[in-house]
Amino acid sequence: MPILSVGQISKVLNGELHSSDIGPEWLISSIANDSRTIFDPESSLFFALKSDRNNGHRYVADLVHMGVRAFVVSDFSKEFGKFDYCSFIVVPDTLKALQELAAWHRSQFNIPVLGITGSNGKTIVKEWLFELLRDRAVIRSPKSYNSQVGVPLSVWNLSADYELAIFEAGISKPGEMHNLQEIICPTVGILTNIGEAHQENFTTKQQKLEEKLKLFESSHTLIYCRDQELVHSYIQNGGVNSRIKLYAWSFTKETSDLFFRKKELNGTVEIATEFEGKKFRIELPFQDESSLENAGHCLALILSQHYAEPSVMKLFASLQPVAMRLEMKEGVNNCLLINDYYNSDINSLQIALAFLNNHARKPYLQKTVILSDIQQAGIPDEQLYQEVARLLQLNKTNRLIGIGTKIKKYAYLFERPSEFFESTELFLESFQSANFRLECILLKGARDFHFELISSVLQKKYHQTVLEIDLNALVGNLNFFRSAIRPETRIMVMVKAFSYGSGMSEIARILQFHKVDYLAVAVADEGIELRQAGIDLPIVVMNPEEHSFESMIEFRLEPNVYSEEIFDSFRKVLQQHAVVRYPVHLKFDTGMNRLGFDSAGKVERLARKLQVQEEIVVRSVFSHLVGADEPVHDEFTMGQVEQFLQLSSIITKKLPYKIFRHILNSAGIERFPQYQFEMVRLGIGLYGVSACGNNQIRSISRLKTCISQIRLICAGQTVGYGRKGVVTRDAEIAVLPIGYADGYDRRLSNGVGKVYIKGQLVPIIGNICMDMCMIDVTGLQSSVGDEVELMGEHILVGNMAETIGTIPYEILTGISQRVKRVYLQE
């Protein structure tokens, strides 16, 4: 772990140092651009990065309160100068400064560094190499840290204790690779392939190839697949420096530098090759082309760099798919389970502990870590487990369960309460679910420990149908909409109806961290649930009911006042409780003909009442656009905006304090940002539905299940209730454990709806039942347990809704709460 003083870092960055009460000798050992990853505030240096969609300077005050003392900023405000015991390094560009610091740190070491780039497969190749070289001291990028920010954060962890470093580099447009090359400075390179990913910012694939090859300008070795004609032709015709040693491998061309002869067996592939006069043979547990290509890169690297010991070659047979994201799901006895059990090293442990901290909130009062032996640390075992113990202590972990002979050997380093087992099997023999209650549990283990067995006993039991929620996509959508409005414009996010089916408290926690200004729910009960889950943001109740007024006051929920009767009733309750200056929000009806004050006369009368009372203050006034998503209604939309301005001016002119105005919903933000006023309301857009078909807005939900049974049906037979599914030929019919009670709409019956399995769309056959439905999988060679996508990347919710004549809102909010929500985050 690098340790530098603030003064040293300021000198490296050529920055302007502002210190209050602490000197330039203050020591820094970790860097961060995300407060969720900070585990030791006093030794952390925070880079306040700015982008079109976010600004890290907004988080500085909170981080000071959290204990962070050192910052790199580009905007040194007067507020920053008032903080005691803080140092600020002021630079023109904080992202450039982060990259410069990482590049300087990389230059301090002279060890082999492998750089990996390409359109696909970077993370898988990196993780497989890490697994294959498990007996060596190897450091690699955590997860998919391959961006302009992720690469410098990865390289910062480099130290002289490692024999090999593996870093991946990803780009999305021309001009980006130069920065990453200076940071990684790889001695050896792998180019995985050139495909369609991120092609939108490149005119041709060759232009993208040229950009990616810039990573290897200072490398002495480059590995690539000879079977990619564009890549091979460009490289052979002078596309790289002639001094670079090339290893072009191939499955088809025997004249290649490395020829891999493959032989398909029963579900596996055997590869035979010869290198430097020696013969090698490995077995791979898969047959698909992408996995074989990824394995080919790994084999070429291991041969060319002389890592091909028999113990390494045997490990190819046990390679498994790579879990790219942390997985969060409900556990037994009201626990929350975080699965990250496909690797175990000190750097990924830090990231997983940060994730644990962010989700260990009410009602999950305890933080438990189940941890296996750490692999490939590059430092002596006792020093390693001292560092593990330090990380657990800094993250205020309540309980450790250590599994493995090494971690058990150093049990004395860990605080109580701790338990240790030599193997996963011994832990399972002693397991009692009653010992886990109201805990946030992190499962962090190396693949060999098979922590999926522990996950299965800790996981709350559901049927096989799940709704996956991509939290990275949700944050990306939030930042997209932020980029469409002014920095000072506030955002109210709609989390009603179980956050459009995504899970209310989990989504609210993410939004609270990302500093949205308000949350909005439909009824008081939803707001109370959020308060009990530890959400402190202002919460607006859009449909308040008189019987819930006292509860709303108790839980600090702010009502939407849409009529004079609601105003009078709520004010009366406030008077009974001697409450003054309670915040409310006023709703104007400008064309929806639903709730709200709909005339200037009614608003004038309300304004006079507001002027002569002290119980209520108006936080905002708002209205609801009727057809902002459809250009045919644009004239009506303009009329709504004009009427809203007239009605809101009555209130804002008569009251002596600041009042926020908002009329834009998700579609309005996309199409009419000029009317953002002081606040906007973000709803369906956050959850992945764009009014304009904007592909930068990503779907966050994926509904999936597994095949329960496969039946062979003869021609002329029927499937399902009412005999609606008539089979015209001999067919294979698969039964799926999802029906209309799970929210899978019955209108998708009889071929209207389709599902995605094994790379193909196949139809629903027969009527959808309450708990099951059937699909035609004839010719797909499907098996029981095969995964089936019902909504997601291949079956868009918008298309699904259009097929049955409804809207995405109905599809998303209709997914039953008996369907397990699983939260994924990279």
Side-chain angles (χ1 to χ4, degrees), residues 496-497 500-501 592 594 624-627 629-630 633 665 667 683-685 687-691 743 745 747-748 791 796-815:
K496 60 183 181 177
Y500 291 56
M592 180 71 78
R594 202 167 58 178
H624 201 114
L625 295 179
V626 172
D629 56 335
E630 299 181 76
H633 299 308
N665 52 13
I684 193 73
Y687 304 100
V689 178
S690 168
D745 201 296
R747 289 172 288 181
L748 293 164
M791 179 186 76
L796 300 178
V797 64
N799 296 342
M800 190 175 175
E802 186 177 354
T803 297
I804 58 175
T806 186
I807 55 177
Y809 298 77
E810 183 180 356
I811 299 291
L812 293 173
T813 60
I815 298 173

mmCIF file of all heavy atoms in Angstrom, residues 496-497 500-501 592 594 624-627 629-630 633 665 667 683-685 687-691 743 745 747-748 791 796-815:
data_model
loop_
_atom_site.group_PDB
_atom_site.id
_atom_site.type_symbol
_atom_site.label_atom_id
_atom_site.label_comp_id
_atom_site.label_asym_id
_atom_site.label_seq_id
_atom_site.Cartn_x
_atom_site.Cartn_y
_atom_site.Cartn_z
ATOM 1 N N LYS A 496 -42.860 5.717 -5.718
ATOM 2 C CA LYS A 496 -44.152 5.113 -5.382
ATOM 3 C C LYS A 496 -44.286 3.762 -6.072
ATOM 4 O O LYS A 496 -43.501 3.418 -6.961
ATOM 5 C CB LYS A 496 -45.296 6.042 -5.806
ATOM 6 C CG LYS A 496 -45.337 6.338 -7.301
ATOM 7 C CD LYS A 496 -46.450 7.310 -7.636
ATOM 8 C CE LYS A 496 -46.487 7.574 -9.147
ATOM 9 N NZ LYS A 496 -47.601 8.446 -9.529
ATOM 10 N N ALA A 497 -45.285 3.026 -5.660
ATOM 11 C CA ALA A 497 -45.577 1.707 -6.250
ATOM 12 C C ALA A 497 -44.341 0.815 -6.234
ATOM 13 O O ALA A 497 -43.949 0.231 -7.238
ATOM 14 C CB ALA A 497 -46.129 1.845 -7.666
ATOM 15 N N TYR A 500 -41.734 1.598 -8.825
ATOM 16 C CA TYR A 500 -42.105 1.073 -10.142
ATOM 17 C C TYR A 500 -41.735 -0.408 -10.247
ATOM 18 O O TYR A 500 -41.289 -0.888 -11.290
ATOM 19 C CB TYR A 500 -41.428 1.864 -11.251
ATOM 20 C CG TYR A 500 -41.934 3.291 -11.401
ATOM 21 C CD1 TYR A 500 -41.917 4.178 -10.331
ATOM 22 C CD2 TYR A 500 -42.436 3.764 -12.612
ATOM 23 C CE1 TYR A 500 -42.374 5.479 -10.456
ATOM 24 C CE2 TYR A 500 -42.893 5.067 -12.752
ATOM 25 C CZ TYR A 500 -42.857 5.916 -11.659
ATOM 26 O OH TYR A 500 -43.316 7.204 -11.787
ATOM 27 N N GLY A 501 -41.931 -1.114 -9.146
ATOM 28 C CA GLY A 501 -41.674 -2.550 -9.119
ATOM 29 C C GLY A 501 -40.257 -2.940 -8.774
ATOM 30 O O GLY A 501 -39.947 -4.130 -8.687
ATOM 31 N N MET A 592 -54.890 17.886 -16.598
ATOM 32 C CA MET A 592 -55.052 16.461 -16.324
ATOM 33 C C MET A 592 -56.474 16.139 -15.909
ATOM 34 O O MET A 592 -56.973 15.033 -16.118
ATOM 35 C CB MET A 592 -54.069 16.030 -15.233
ATOM 36 C CG MET A 592 -54.147 14.552 -14.861
ATOM 37 S SD MET A 592 -53.511 13.449 -16.135
ATOM 38 C CE MET A 592 -51.750 13.627 -15.889
ATOM 39 N N ARG A 594 -57.578 15.867 -12.846
ATOM 40 C CA ARG A 594 -57.484 14.850 -11.807
ATOM 41 C C ARG A 594 -57.479 15.598 -10.473
ATOM 42 O O ARG A 594 -58.508 16.139 -10.081
ATOM 43 C CB ARG A 594 -56.220 14.005 -12.026
ATOM 44 C CG ARG A 594 -56.260 12.638 -11.380
ATOM 45 C CD ARG A 594 -55.144 11.746 -11.871
ATOM 46 N NE ARG A 594 -53.812 12.281 -11.642
ATOM 47 C CZ ARG A 594 -52.687 11.665 -11.956
ATOM 48 N NH1 ARG A 594 -52.728 10.490 -12.550
ATOM 49 N NH2 ARG A 594 -51.514 12.210 -11.710
ATOM 50 N N HIS A 624 -48.914 18.690 -13.475
ATOM 51 C CA HIS A 624 -48.564 17.423 -14.129
ATOM 52 C C HIS A 624 -48.866 17.524 -15.619
ATOM 53 O O HIS A 624 -50.007 17.790 -16.010
ATOM 54 C CB HIS A 624 -49.387 16.289 -13.505
ATOM 55 C CG HIS A 624 -48.773 14.942 -13.715
ATOM 56 N ND1 HIS A 624 -48.277 14.176 -12.689
ATOM 57 C CD2 HIS A 624 -48.569 14.222 -14.846
ATOM 58 C CE1 HIS A 624 -47.801 13.046 -13.163
ATOM 59 N NE2 HIS A 624 -47.968 13.051 -14.470
ATOM 60 N N LEU A 625 -47.839 17.324 -16.447
ATOM 61 C CA LEU A 625 -48.026 17.353 -17.895
ATOM 62 C C LEU A 625 -48.808 16.123 -18.353
ATOM 63 O O LEU A 625 -48.535 15.009 -17.902
ATOM 64 C CB LEU A 625 -46.682 17.425 -18.607
ATOM 65 C CG LEU A 625 -45.872 18.709 -18.364
ATOM 66 C CD1 LEU A 625 -44.544 18.641 -19.099
ATOM 67 C CD2 LEU A 625 -46.660 19.937 -18.791
ATOM 68 N N VAL A 626 -49.700 16.339 -19.277
ATOM 69 C CA VAL A 626 -50.605 15.277 -19.732
ATOM 70 C C VAL A 626 -49.982 14.430 -20.830
ATOM 71 O O VAL A 626 -50.111 13.202 -20.831
ATOM 72 C CB VAL A 626 -51.931 15.897 -20.226
ATOM 73 C CG1 VAL A 626 -52.821 14.848 -20.881
ATOM 74 C CG2 VAL A 626 -52.661 16.580 -19.075
ATOM 75 N N GLY A 627 -49.300 15.075 -21.785
ATOM 76 C CA GLY A 627 -48.808 14.338 -22.950
ATOM 77 C C GLY A 627 -47.435 14.783 -23.401
ATOM 78 O O GLY A 627 -47.181 14.908 -24.600
ATOM 79 N N ASP A 629 -44.799 13.227 -23.646
ATOM 80 C CA ASP A 629 -44.064 12.220 -24.403
ATOM 81 C C ASP A 629 -44.507 12.117 -25.854
ATOM 82 O O ASP A 629 -43.894 11.374 -26.633
ATOM 83 C CB ASP A 629 -44.192 10.858 -23.719
ATOM 84 C CG ASP A 629 -45.639 10.431 -23.527
ATOM 85 O OD1 ASP A 629 -46.521 11.324 -23.459
ATOM 86 O OD2 ASP A 629 -45.897 9.221 -23.424
ATOM 87 N N GLU A 630 -45.546 12.859 -26.233
ATOM 88 C CA GLU A 630 -46.076 12.740 -27.588
ATOM 89 C C GLU A 630 -46.091 14.105 -28.272
ATOM 90 O O GLU A 630 -46.794 15.020 -27.826
ATOM 91 C CB GLU A 630 -47.490 12.166 -27.564
ATOM 92 C CG GLU A 630 -47.582 10.764 -26.968
ATOM 93 C CD GLU A 630 -49.003 10.227 -26.996
ATOM 94 O OE1 GLU A 630 -49.442 9.832 -28.094
ATOM 95 O OE2 GLU A 630 -49.661 10.230 -25.947
ATOM 96 N N HIS A 633 -49.175 16.380 -28.862
ATOM 97 C CA HIS A 633 -49.786 17.162 -27.783
ATOM 98 C C HIS A 633 -48.950 18.371 -27.385
ATOM 99 O O HIS A 633 -49.231 19.001 -26.351
ATOM 100 C CB HIS A 633 -49.980 16.282 -26.547
ATOM 101 C CG HIS A 633 -50.875 15.099 -26.761
ATOM 102 N ND1 HIS A 633 -52.137 15.204 -27.297
ATOM 103 C CD2 HIS A 633 -50.673 13.767 -26.522
ATOM 104 C CE1 HIS A 633 -52.686 14.008 -27.372
ATOM 105 N NE2 HIS A 633 -51.822 13.114 -26.915
ATOM 106 N N ASN A 665 -41.992 16.099 -15.930
ATOM 107 C CA ASN A 665 -41.775 14.691 -15.578
ATOM 108 C C ASN A 665 -40.611 14.166 -16.418
ATOM 109 O O ASN A 665 -39.888 14.942 -17.035
ATOM 110 C CB ASN A 665 -43.062 13.896 -15.810
ATOM 111 C CG ASN A 665 -43.621 14.112 -17.218
ATOM 112 O OD1 ASN A 665 -42.952 14.656 -18.098
ATOM 113 N ND2 ASN A 665 -44.854 13.694 -17.429
ATOM 114 N N ALA A 667 -40.461 12.569 -19.299
ATOM 115 C CA ALA A 667 -40.569 12.952 -20.707
ATOM 116 C C ALA A 667 -40.337 14.444 -20.876
ATOM 117 O O ALA A 667 -39.700 14.895 -21.839
ATOM 118 C CB ALA A 667 -41.939 12.555 -21.248
ATOM 119 N N GLY A 683 -39.386 10.078 -12.900
ATOM 120 C CA GLY A 683 -40.115 8.848 -12.628
ATOM 121 C C GLY A 683 -39.661 7.709 -13.515
ATOM 122 O O GLY A 683 -38.566 7.155 -13.345
ATOM 123 N N ILE A 684 -40.459 7.385 -14.519
ATOM 124 C CA ILE A 684 -40.223 6.206 -15.350
ATOM 125 C C ILE A 684 -38.866 6.241 -16.050
ATOM 126 O O ILE A 684 -38.254 5.204 -16.304
ATOM 127 C CB ILE A 684 -41.361 6.053 -16.389
ATOM 128 C CG1 ILE A 684 -41.340 4.675 -17.052
ATOM 129 C CG2 ILE A 684 -41.301 7.166 -17.427
ATOM 130 C CD1 ILE A 684 -41.794 3.555 -16.167
ATOM 131 N N GLY A 685 -38.355 7.433 -16.322
ATOM 132 C CA GLY A 685 -37.054 7.534 -16.979
ATOM 133 C C GLY A 685 -35.935 6.951 -16.144
ATOM 134 O O GLY A 685 -34.995 6.360 -16.671
ATOM 135 N N TYR A 687 -36.087 4.440 -14.328
ATOM 136 C CA TYR A 687 -36.189 2.984 -14.349
ATOM 137 C C TYR A 687 -35.974 2.397 -15.743
ATOM 138 O O TYR A 687 -36.137 1.203 -15.942
ATOM 139 C CB TYR A 687 -37.544 2.569 -13.773
ATOM 140 C CG TYR A 687 -37.735 3.142 -12.387
ATOM 141 C CD1 TYR A 687 -38.507 4.282 -12.179
ATOM 142 C CD2 TYR A 687 -37.093 2.581 -11.289
ATOM 143 C CE1 TYR A 687 -38.648 4.832 -10.910
ATOM 144 C CE2 TYR A 687 -37.234 3.124 -10.021
ATOM 145 C CZ TYR A 687 -38.003 4.254 -9.841
ATOM 146 O OH TYR A 687 -38.132 4.800 -8.578
ATOM 147 N N GLY A 688 -35.601 3.277 -16.701
ATOM 148 C CA GLY A 688 -35.114 2.764 -17.977
ATOM 149 C C GLY A 688 -36.014 2.936 -19.175
ATOM 150 O O GLY A 688 -35.766 2.328 -20.217
ATOM 151 N N VAL A 689 -37.044 3.789 -19.095
ATOM 152 C CA VAL A 689 -37.946 4.003 -20.232
ATOM 153 C C VAL A 689 -37.800 5.442 -20.705
ATOM 154 O O VAL A 689 -38.026 6.385 -19.941
ATOM 155 C CB VAL A 689 -39.410 3.717 -19.854
ATOM 156 C CG1 VAL A 689 -40.324 3.990 -21.046
ATOM 157 C CG2 VAL A 689 -39.560 2.272 -19.393
ATOM 158 N N SER A 690 -37.396 5.617 -21.955
ATOM 159 C CA SER A 690 -37.171 6.946 -22.520
ATOM 160 C C SER A 690 -38.342 7.369 -23.388
ATOM 161 O O SER A 690 -38.856 6.582 -24.190
ATOM 162 C CB SER A 690 -35.894 6.950 -23.361
ATOM 163 O OG SER A 690 -35.788 8.136 -24.132
ATOM 164 N N ALA A 691 -38.746 8.623 -23.238
ATOM 165 C CA ALA A 691 -39.825 9.156 -24.076
ATOM 166 C C ALA A 691 -39.371 9.356 -25.513
ATOM 167 O O ALA A 691 -40.191 9.408 -26.431
ATOM 168 C CB ALA A 691 -40.308 10.487 -23.506
ATOM 169 N N GLY A 743 -47.371 -11.462 -11.987
ATOM 170 C CA GLY A 743 -47.379 -10.235 -12.763
ATOM 171 C C GLY A 743 -47.073 -10.430 -14.232
ATOM 172 O O GLY A 743 -46.890 -9.456 -14.968
ATOM 173 N N ASP A 745 -48.357 -10.902 -17.552
ATOM 174 C CA ASP A 745 -49.694 -10.566 -18.045
ATOM 175 C C ASP A 745 -50.303 -11.677 -18.895
ATOM 176 O O ASP A 745 -49.671 -12.199 -19.814
ATOM 177 C CB ASP A 745 -49.625 -9.276 -18.858
ATOM 178 C CG ASP A 745 -50.970 -8.597 -18.974
ATOM 179 O OD1 ASP A 745 -51.879 -9.190 -19.583
ATOM 180 O OD2 ASP A 745 -51.105 -7.480 -18.444
ATOM 181 N N ARG A 747 -52.454 -11.480 -21.115
ATOM 182 C CA ARG A 747 -52.638 -11.088 -22.511
ATOM 183 C C ARG A 747 -51.476 -11.528 -23.409
ATOM 184 O O ARG A 747 -51.560 -11.439 -24.636
ATOM 185 C CB ARG A 747 -52.811 -9.566 -22.606
ATOM 186 C CG ARG A 747 -54.152 -9.065 -22.059
ATOM 187 C CD ARG A 747 -54.191 -7.557 -21.986
ATOM 188 N NE ARG A 747 -53.341 -7.043 -20.914
ATOM 189 C CZ ARG A 747 -53.213 -5.752 -20.613
ATOM 190 N NH1 ARG A 747 -53.871 -4.847 -21.329
ATOM 191 N NH2 ARG A 747 -52.434 -5.364 -19.615
ATOM 192 N N LEU A 748 -50.393 -12.011 -22.803
ATOM 193 C CA LEU A 748 -49.260 -12.513 -23.575
ATOM 194 C C LEU A 748 -49.443 -13.978 -23.993
ATOM 195 O O LEU A 748 -48.562 -14.560 -24.624
ATOM 196 C CB LEU A 748 -47.978 -12.380 -22.748
ATOM 197 C CG LEU A 748 -47.518 -10.938 -22.462
ATOM 198 C CD1 LEU A 748 -46.494 -10.910 -21.340
ATOM 199 C CD2 LEU A 748 -46.961 -10.290 -23.720
ATOM 200 N N MET A 791 -38.226 -10.530 -19.721
ATOM 201 C CA MET A 791 -38.151 -9.088 -19.945
ATOM 202 C C MET A 791 -36.729 -8.657 -19.631
ATOM 203 O O MET A 791 -36.144 -9.113 -18.645
ATOM 204 C CB MET A 791 -39.133 -8.345 -19.028
ATOM 205 C CG MET A 791 -39.112 -6.821 -19.155
ATOM 206 S SD MET A 791 -40.172 -6.037 -17.907
ATOM 207 C CE MET A 791 -39.145 -6.193 -16.432
ATOM 208 N N LEU A 796 -37.564 -5.865 -24.593
ATOM 209 C CA LEU A 796 -37.665 -4.561 -23.951
ATOM 210 C C LEU A 796 -39.061 -4.348 -23.390
ATOM 211 O O LEU A 796 -40.069 -4.726 -24.011
ATOM 212 C CB LEU A 796 -37.321 -3.459 -24.945
ATOM 213 C CG LEU A 796 -35.911 -3.515 -25.564
ATOM 214 C CD1 LEU A 796 -35.721 -2.388 -26.556
ATOM 215 C CD2 LEU A 796 -34.849 -3.462 -24.476
ATOM 216 N N VAL A 797 -39.114 -3.708 -22.214
ATOM 217 C CA VAL A 797 -40.402 -3.514 -21.558
ATOM 218 C C VAL A 797 -41.338 -2.667 -22.420
ATOM 219 O O VAL A 797 -42.551 -2.894 -22.443
ATOM 220 C CB VAL A 797 -40.209 -2.905 -20.156
ATOM 221 C CG1 VAL A 797 -39.599 -1.507 -20.233
ATOM 222 C CG2 VAL A 797 -41.532 -2.851 -19.399
ATOM 223 N N GLY A 798 -40.769 -1.705 -23.161
ATOM 224 C CA GLY A 798 -41.610 -0.883 -24.026
ATOM 225 C C GLY A 798 -42.256 -1.687 -25.140
ATOM 226 O O GLY A 798 -43.447 -1.528 -25.435
ATOM 227 N N ASN A 799 -41.484 -2.569 -25.761
ATOM 228 C CA ASN A 799 -42.035 -3.427 -26.819
ATOM 229 C C ASN A 799 -43.048 -4.402 -26.255
ATOM 230 O O ASN A 799 -44.083 -4.691 -26.877
ATOM 231 C CB ASN A 799 -40.900 -4.194 -27.501
ATOM 232 C CG ASN A 799 -39.926 -3.278 -28.220
ATOM 233 O OD1 ASN A 799 -40.249 -2.123 -28.510
ATOM 234 N ND2 ASN A 799 -38.733 -3.770 -28.492
ATOM 235 N N MET A 800 -42.757 -4.924 -25.075
ATOM 236 C CA MET A 800 -43.663 -5.862 -24.418
ATOM 237 C C MET A 800 -45.010 -5.194 -24.142
ATOM 238 O O MET A 800 -46.084 -5.776 -24.377
ATOM 239 C CB MET A 800 -43.005 -6.324 -23.115
ATOM 240 C CG MET A 800 -43.662 -7.470 -22.407
ATOM 241 S SD MET A 800 -42.603 -7.890 -20.988
ATOM 242 C CE MET A 800 -43.613 -9.150 -20.221
ATOM 243 N N ALA A 801 -44.952 -3.945 -23.649
ATOM 244 C CA ALA A 801 -46.177 -3.216 -23.350
ATOM 245 C C ALA A 801 -46.970 -2.922 -24.616
ATOM 246 O O ALA A 801 -48.198 -3.080 -24.663
ATOM 247 C CB ALA A 801 -45.835 -1.917 -22.621
ATOM 248 N N GLU A 802 -46.261 -2.509 -25.670
ATOM 249 C CA GLU A 802 -46.937 -2.196 -26.931
ATOM 250 C C GLU A 802 -47.636 -3.428 -27.508
ATOM 251 O O GLU A 802 -48.729 -3.330 -28.078
ATOM 252 C CB GLU A 802 -45.912 -1.648 -27.927
ATOM 253 C CG GLU A 802 -46.510 -1.157 -29.228
ATOM 254 C CD GLU A 802 -45.467 -0.558 -30.150
ATOM 255 O OE1 GLU A 802 -44.294 -0.431 -29.728
ATOM 256 O OE2 GLU A 802 -45.823 -0.221 -31.301
ATOM 257 N N THR A 803 -47.023 -4.592 -27.325
ATOM 258 C CA THR A 803 -47.595 -5.833 -27.853
ATOM 259 C C THR A 803 -48.990 -6.099 -27.297
ATOM 260 O O THR A 803 -49.867 -6.603 -28.005
ATOM 261 C CB THR A 803 -46.665 -7.019 -27.510
ATOM 262 O OG1 THR A 803 -45.409 -6.814 -28.162
ATOM 263 C CG2 THR A 803 -47.259 -8.336 -27.961
ATOM 264 N N ILE A 804 -49.205 -5.767 -26.025
ATOM 265 C CA ILE A 804 -50.505 -6.063 -25.403
ATOM 266 C C ILE A 804 -51.338 -4.807 -25.179
ATOM 267 O O ILE A 804 -52.331 -4.829 -24.440
ATOM 268 C CB ILE A 804 -50.323 -6.827 -24.080
ATOM 269 C CG1 ILE A 804 -49.455 -6.036 -23.090
ATOM 270 C CG2 ILE A 804 -49.716 -8.191 -24.335
ATOM 271 C CD1 ILE A 804 -49.358 -6.695 -21.723
ATOM 272 N N GLY A 805 -50.944 -3.691 -25.814
ATOM 273 C CA GLY A 805 -51.754 -2.488 -25.773
ATOM 274 C C GLY A 805 -51.785 -1.792 -24.430
ATOM 275 O O GLY A 805 -52.829 -1.253 -24.022
ATOM 276 N N THR A 806 -50.664 -1.774 -23.742
ATOM 277 C CA THR A 806 -50.619 -1.066 -22.469
ATOM 278 C C THR A 806 -49.360 -0.200 -22.431
ATOM 279 O O THR A 806 -48.764 0.093 -23.468
ATOM 280 C CB THR A 806 -50.666 -2.041 -21.278
ATOM 281 O OG1 THR A 806 -50.760 -1.294 -20.059
ATOM 282 C CG2 THR A 806 -49.467 -2.967 -21.225
ATOM 283 N N ILE A 807 -48.941 0.214 -21.242
ATOM 284 C CA ILE A 807 -47.788 1.094 -21.089
ATOM 285 C C ILE A 807 -46.758 0.429 -20.180
ATOM 286 O O ILE A 807 -47.105 -0.450 -19.380
ATOM 287 C CB ILE A 807 -48.205 2.462 -20.507
ATOM 288 C CG1 ILE A 807 -48.963 2.276 -19.186
ATOM 289 C CG2 ILE A 807 -49.024 3.251 -21.513
ATOM 290 C CD1 ILE A 807 -49.351 3.582 -18.510
ATOM 291 N N PRO A 808 -45.487 0.812 -20.290
ATOM 292 C CA PRO A 808 -44.458 0.186 -19.457
ATOM 293 C C PRO A 808 -44.745 0.280 -17.959
ATOM 294 O O PRO A 808 -44.374 -0.619 -17.200
ATOM 295 C CB PRO A 808 -43.188 0.964 -19.823
ATOM 296 C CG PRO A 808 -43.426 1.443 -21.216
ATOM 297 C CD PRO A 808 -44.885 1.749 -21.276
ATOM 298 N N TYR A 809 -45.389 1.369 -17.518
ATOM 299 C CA TYR A 809 -45.721 1.515 -16.101
ATOM 300 C C TYR A 809 -46.480 0.287 -15.588
ATOM 301 O O TYR A 809 -46.207 -0.228 -14.512
ATOM 302 C CB TYR A 809 -46.608 2.745 -15.876
ATOM 303 C CG TYR A 809 -46.028 4.074 -16.243
ATOM 304 C CD1 TYR A 809 -45.950 4.491 -17.568
ATOM 305 C CD2 TYR A 809 -45.596 4.961 -15.264
ATOM 306 C CE1 TYR A 809 -45.447 5.734 -17.909
ATOM 307 C CE2 TYR A 809 -45.094 6.212 -15.585
ATOM 308 C CZ TYR A 809 -45.023 6.590 -16.913
ATOM 309 O OH TYR A 809 -44.526 7.822 -17.244
ATOM 310 N N GLU A 810 -47.464 -0.144 -16.363
ATOM 311 C CA GLU A 810 -48.302 -1.262 -15.917
ATOM 312 C C GLU A 810 -47.490 -2.551 -15.835
ATOM 313 O O GLU A 810 -47.661 -3.340 -14.904
ATOM 314 C CB GLU A 810 -49.493 -1.458 -16.865
ATOM 315 C CG GLU A 810 -50.431 -2.564 -16.410
ATOM 316 C CD GLU A 810 -51.612 -2.775 -17.340
ATOM 317 O OE1 GLU A 810 -51.757 -2.004 -18.316
ATOM 318 O OE2 GLU A 810 -52.393 -3.711 -17.085
ATOM 319 N N ILE A 811 -46.614 -2.761 -16.803
ATOM 320 C CA ILE A 811 -45.793 -3.968 -16.787
ATOM 321 C C ILE A 811 -44.893 -3.985 -15.551
ATOM 322 O O ILE A 811 -44.826 -4.974 -14.809
ATOM 323 C CB ILE A 811 -44.925 -4.052 -18.059
ATOM 324 C CG1 ILE A 811 -45.810 -4.104 -19.325
ATOM 325 C CG2 ILE A 811 -43.990 -5.254 -17.985
ATOM 326 C CD1 ILE A 811 -46.588 -5.367 -19.501
ATOM 327 N N LEU A 812 -44.187 -2.873 -15.307
ATOM 328 C CA LEU A 812 -43.208 -2.821 -14.218
ATOM 329 C C LEU A 812 -43.872 -2.899 -12.848
ATOM 330 O O LEU A 812 -43.427 -3.634 -11.966
ATOM 331 C CB LEU A 812 -42.369 -1.547 -14.328
ATOM 332 C CG LEU A 812 -41.439 -1.456 -15.549
ATOM 333 C CD1 LEU A 812 -40.784 -0.086 -15.631
ATOM 334 C CD2 LEU A 812 -40.381 -2.541 -15.497
ATOM 335 N N THR A 813 -44.932 -2.114 -12.656
ATOM 336 C CA THR A 813 -45.570 -2.089 -11.336
ATOM 337 C C THR A 813 -46.401 -3.335 -11.079
ATOM 338 O O THR A 813 -46.750 -3.625 -9.933
ATOM 339 C CB THR A 813 -46.459 -0.847 -11.176
ATOM 340 O OG1 THR A 813 -47.490 -0.860 -12.190
ATOM 341 C CG2 THR A 813 -45.641 0.427 -11.311
ATOM 342 N N GLY A 814 -46.683 -4.091 -12.135
ATOM 343 C CA GLY A 814 -47.501 -5.283 -11.968
ATOM 344 C C GLY A 814 -46.736 -6.518 -11.527
ATOM 345 O O GLY A 814 -47.352 -7.547 -11.198
ATOM 346 N N ILE A 815 -45.402 -6.449 -11.519
ATOM 347 C CA ILE A 815 -44.618 -7.620 -11.111
ATOM 348 C C ILE A 815 -44.786 -7.843 -9.619
ATOM 349 O O ILE A 815 -44.474 -6.978 -8.805
ATOM 350 C CB ILE A 815 -43.137 -7.441 -11.487
ATOM 351 C CG1 ILE A 815 -43.002 -7.307 -13.009
ATOM 352 C CG2 ILE A 815 -42.309 -8.626 -10.998
ATOM 353 C CD1 ILE A 815 -41.611 -6.963 -13.484
#
